[in-house]
Amino acid sequence: MQARHIISLSLSLGLLPLSVHAAATDPTPLIDQYTRQLRAAAQPVGLTLVVVDGNRTWQRYLGETHYGNHTPPQSDTLIRIASLSKLFTGEMLVSLAADGRLSPNDPLQKYAPAGVAVPQGGKGQVIRLINLATHTSGLPREMPGERPADAPVFSWPTTGQRWQWLAQGRLNAVPGTRAAYSNLAFDFLADALARAGGKPYPVLLREKITAPLGMSNTTFTPSAAQCARLMDGIDASPCTDSQSAEGSGGLYSTPHDMALWLQAQLHPKSPVLQRAQQMVYRRRDLR
């Protein structure tokens, strides 16, 4: 079982909404049933489940953090949350817009390094930040080329390499006309947020989101102590700096930290819910 499979079950699926309101006063049987279904469906090496209902949380831990080590995951187990990182990037976009530091409709060109001309659509349509955040930029899923064999996951391409490619790159579609998943777009979005915020993206993330919520184990640069608690798979990539993919997938976190974040997202007065959950493009308007 590869690490990516463990990640998808430990957090991506484990964070799916679970209707505990429909259950009895004690939702534990429903949560346990759902946990068993997840485990039976994919038989992962390790699995963590986080359920949030108002101020109440439930967590379940099954399996082991690495095949054969007989160490079960727990609340401070470090996990690569992969593409859930994009949710934080989107939240940062909303937060900086609320602060007046940018507009979601700003062109990416405004935040490009000096001398880099961002490609446009056929009639001069520009890539806007909102296109990056909604997978409608026309950028490919990944930067063309292959990750070097000795490069850990989430370490390629670097910031410089992707902007160098963009200066010569071509779009797959006119911005705002087609929805197509793009990791590359979210890394460019993180670069733009850093320029708009005047600080490196990891610093902004810590100041705006993780530190206020007490998410002390959510990071792009895990310490040796944190890496010792990593849940990984067979032949997994080493636990290392993942800032090259800070917008798309490089974030590490723990079940404890993600429970804090989910509670903040689901709070009735959450500014993120009020500002971020709006329809930007309708399915019928896109290819």
Side-chain angles (χ1 to χ4, degrees):
M1 179 79 61
Q2 295 297 319
R4 58 189 176 87
H5 296 142
I6 298 176
I7 294 166
S8 66
L9 282 163
S10 61
L11 282 177
S12 296
L13 289 180
L15 292 176
L16 287 174
L18 187 62
S19 181
V20 298
H21 290 291
T25 303
D26 179 12
T28 301
L30 178 61
I31 294 170
D32 290 339
Q33 176 188 355
Y34 187 62
T35 304
R36 290 193 297 269
Q37 290 173 345
L38 281 178
R39 189 176 194 184
Q43 299 180 351
V45 173
L47 182 149
T48 73
L49 180 75
V50 176
V51 178
V52 172
D53 178 28
N55 292 324
R56 300 185 298 172
T57 64
W58 297 263
Q59 299 181 20
R60 296 292 183 269
Y61 310 101
L62 298 174
E64 46 196 2
T65 58
H66 182 80
Y67 183 75
N69 72 354
H70 306 295
T71 301
Q74 50 191 356
S75 63
D76 66 346
T77 294
L78 194 69
I79 301 173
R80 295 182 178 93
I81 68 170
S83 283
L84 290 180
S85 304
K86 294 180 177 66
L87 302 179
F88 289 84
T89 315
E91 184 176 347
M92 280 295 305
L93 173 64
V94 171
S95 179
L96 291 180
D99 291 345
R101 304 301 296 267
L102 55 78
S103 166
N105 287 314
D106 283 344
L108 177 60
Q109 184 66 62
K110 180 177 179 180
Y111 305 102
V116 174
V118 177
Q120 301 180 354
K123 297 182 179 180
Q125 296 94 329
V126 300
I127 299 175
R128 302 186 183 279
L129 301 187
I130 194 65
N131 297 131
L132 300 173
T134 56
H135 297 292
T136 59
S137 65
L139 290 165
R141 182 185 180 100
E142 312 289 352
M143 191 182 86
E146 292 189 12
R147 177 166 59 94
D150 60 348
V153 67
F154 301 130
S155 69
W156 181 91
T158 64
T159 302
Q161 288 169 332
R162 62 174 169 262
W163 281 101
Q164 184 179 15
W165 170 84
L166 189 64
Q168 307 297 326
R170 298 179 61 182
L171 302 182
N172 292 337
V174 174
T177 65
R178 188 177 78 177
Y181 193 90
S182 176
N183 288 312
L184 187 60
F186 269 79
D187 287 327
F188 282 124
L189 178 57
D191 294 340
L193 297 176
R195 285 182 172 265
K199 298 177 182 178
Y201 179 79
V203 175
L204 289 174
L205 184 70
R206 182 171 62 252
E207 292 181 353
K208 303 289 288 185
I209 300 177
T210 61
L213 294 178
M215 300 173 66
S216 58
N217 282 299
T218 301
T219 181
F220 296 104
T221 53
S223 66
Q226 290 171 321
C227 285
R229 305 194 306 269
L230 178 68
M231 182 157 74
D232 58 12
I234 301 171
D235 298 325
S237 190
C239 181
T240 188
D241 187 316
S242 56
Q243 293 181 87
S244 293
E246 56 195 12
S248 65
L251 204 55
Y252 296 82
S253 191
T254 64
H256 173 267
D257 279 13
M258 293 303 290
L260 295 174
W261 180 76
L262 278 171
Q263 284 181 317
Q265 297 298 306
L266 297 174
H267 194 281
K269 297 182 180 180
S270 167
V272 176
L273 288 179
Q274 296 171 13
R275 299 188 183 108
Q277 295 195 12
Q278 303 176 22
M279 182 67 72
V280 178
Y281 292 103
R282 297 184 183 277
R283 179 182 293 269
R284 65 173 178 264
D285 297 328
L286 298 169
R287 290 187 290 117

